[in-house]
Amino acid sequence: MKIIDLRSDTVTLPSISMRRAMSEANVGDDVFEGDPTVKALEEKTAALLGHEAALFVPSGTMANQISLRMLTVPGDEILCETGTHIVNYEVAAASALSGIQLTPIEAPNGILTPELIEPRIRPENIHHPNTAVIALENTHNRAGGRVYPMELIPRIKNLAVKYGLKFYLDGARIWNAAAFHKVPLAEIAGQFDALSVCFSKGLGAPVGSAVVSSKALIRKARRIRKMFGGGMRQAGIIAAGALYALDHNLDRISEDHRRAGKLAANIAESGIFEINPHDIETNIVVIKLPPRLNVEEFCGNLASKGTLVVPFGAGKVRAVAHLDISDNDIETASGIIIDTAKSLL
Ligand SMILES: *Cc1c(COP(=O)(O)O)cnc(C)c1O
């Protein structure tokens, strides 16, 4: 049975040619800043994103946590949206590792606006945490791959400048956001003081993320990476996979969006699920099940037929299109999802 794995865009496997690029990579000790492949990846990433410098790190979580540490001091507060990765999926690392408070703000579809943020910026007062950073997530995972409208980002940036706050982006899927808007990556990324990006999601590399910012902040980030245990030695072996991914898998990312849209359209057509195909902006499809279907039972049944999705909050599952999912897979998975629901209702 062929497994159609729609659980996440992290499940992609390195292709033969990506593995070849990895095995042939020139490497050195990156803690001594002596790995040419890591350097090449960092330079390429910074240039693509319109910043001076980048730092290669093992995971997106570490990229976010190094960044938050780099932009704050203990006792600071970060304003972010309630459903963000830093609030929900990083094991409270910001408080545990950096002594900072995340202040979640609820926003429709996960998209913050200046109007939602401004009242939450605290005036100076001995009792208050010091509001230090506004952090966005683009695309927004838990909101179903939602994209920030381009006009909103400079308006939120103006707010950050007005109040002397740092402006940060969790850009794990910035590739998808730029593809959605058909704009160069730097047009989004260049507006932030710092951002994280993931090579191991839609781009299909096996491992790796980066912190992207100014030269001065990346010098600071390099020390924090060492402190957090993320200094790696011959890391060019994995950086080569990320470089290969930037060279070969970036321009195809809108194909994932088209396929996610097709999955949503097929499922909507069945009339069984509450889903509006127009809500699908990128590669993530959140499917609301009919109330009578149990999420765990539904996922288990799908899995027994070879289609994998993940539970995604009350009454919902998530399916994600990625590099290893074809048009055929989308049709097969749609059929299995619809038939399984019918059989359980
Ligand atoms: C996946 C993801 C991350 C980082 O995840 P890791 O598994 O640590 O690489 C960060 N932010 C968002 C929005 C993500 O989807």
Side-chain angles (χ1 to χ4, degrees):
M1 179 171 60
K2 188 188 178 207
I3 303 295
I4 301 173
D5 194 345
L6 299 169
R7 288 174 301 167
S8 175
D9 46 12
T10 57
V11 301
T12 56
L13 299 177
S15 62
I16 300 289
S17 39
M18 182 185 280
R19 286 168 190 256
R20 189 169 300 129
M22 294 173 75
S23 73
E24 289 169 359
N26 282 326
V27 298
D29 189 323
D30 184 53
V31 173
F32 289 130
E33 301 190 38
D35 189 302
T37 306
V38 171
K39 276 207 172 116
L41 173 65
E42 289 173 343
E43 278 165 20
K44 189 182 175 90
T45 303
L48 259 177
L49 294 159
H51 280 263
E52 286 176 355
L55 183 73
F56 186 51
V57 301
S59 71
T61 298
M62 191 183 282
N64 280 338
Q65 294 308 322
I66 288 171
S67 302
L68 298 186
R69 175 66 165 250
M70 162 182 103
L71 297 173
T72 59
V73 295
D76 278 351
E77 162 189 66
I78 295 185
L79 300 180
C80 52
E81 202 278 326
T82 306
T84 51
H85 201 276
I86 55 173
V87 171
N88 295 282
Y89 301 118
E90 301 190 7
V91 208
S95 4
L97 304 180
S98 298
I100 51 183
Q101 168 172 314
L102 299 180
T103 298
I105 303 172
E106 192 123 5
N109 296 319
I111 301 298
L112 289 170
T113 60
E115 293 69 29
L116 287 168
I117 298 168
E118 190 163 17
R120 306 298 291 273
I121 300 171
R122 301 183 203 249
E124 209 174 297
N125 178 308
I126 195 171
H127 302 91
H128 291 163
N130 174 49
T131 309
V133 178
I134 299 172
L136 307 185
E137 183 175 310
N138 195 18
T139 69
H140 191 308
N141 172 30
R142 204 172 156 100
R146 289 285 186 163
V147 185
Y148 269 83
M150 285 305 286
E151 51 88 19
L152 258 187
I153 300 174
R155 289 180 52 219
I156 300 175
K157 182 192 170 75
N158 287 343
L159 198 62
V161 170
K162 178 176 163 190
Y163 288 92
L165 312 179
K166 290 287 190 305
F167 194 32
Y168 177 68
L169 176 68
D170 177 345
R173 293 190 181 83
I174 191 172
W175 329 109
N176 302 84
F180 173 82
H181 286 302
K182 301 188 172 67
V183 299
L185 288 157
E187 208 167 311
I188 300 174
Q191 304 192 58
F192 295 86
D193 293 302
L195 69 150
S196 64
V197 299
C198 279
F199 303 113
S200 58
K201 303 233 161 126
L203 290 183
V207 185
S209 288
V211 179
V212 186
S213 188
S214 65
K215 277 187 180 150
L217 281 175
I218 292 299
R219 256 195 306 280
K220 194 171 169 189
R222 191 177 290 279
R223 285 185 64 82
I224 301 168
R225 181 184 69 177
K226 195 76 185 74
M227 181 198 283
F228 286 179
M232 298 180 284
R233 302 298 177 172
Q234 285 72 37
I237 285 280
I238 52 175
L243 261 177
Y244 182 95
L246 282 177
D247 288 338
H248 295 89
N249 299 339
L250 183 54
D251 291 341
R252 60 153 302 285
I253 227 151
S254 55
E255 284 181 41
D256 297 337
H257 301 180
R258 178 177 58 73
R259 293 194 176 110
K262 186 64 166 57
L263 179 71
N266 290 348
I267 288 170
E269 212 173 72
S270 74
I272 298 172
F273 302 93
E274 205 177 297
I275 184 168
N276 181 352
H278 296 294
D279 290 342
I280 311 307
E281 295 181 333
T282 57
N283 64 332
I284 299 176
V285 183
V286 177
I287 306 165
K288 193 156 182 225
L289 305 184
R292 277 198 294 143
L293 284 188
N294 173 283
V295 171
E296 304 293 334
E297 190 186 5
F298 182 69
C299 291
N301 257 268
L302 282 186
S304 71
K305 295 171 194 160
T307 291
L308 308 182
V309 301
V310 288
F312 209 59
K316 291 185 227 163
V317 300
R318 184 187 75 172
V320 185
H322 55 74
L323 193 57
D324 297 346
I325 295 294
S326 66
D327 288 331
N328 257 336
D329 293 335
I330 290 292
E331 295 310 315
T332 307
S334 307
I336 291 174
I337 289 169
I338 293 165
D339 291 347
T340 302
K342 282 182 181 158
S343 75
L344 291 171
L345 279 169

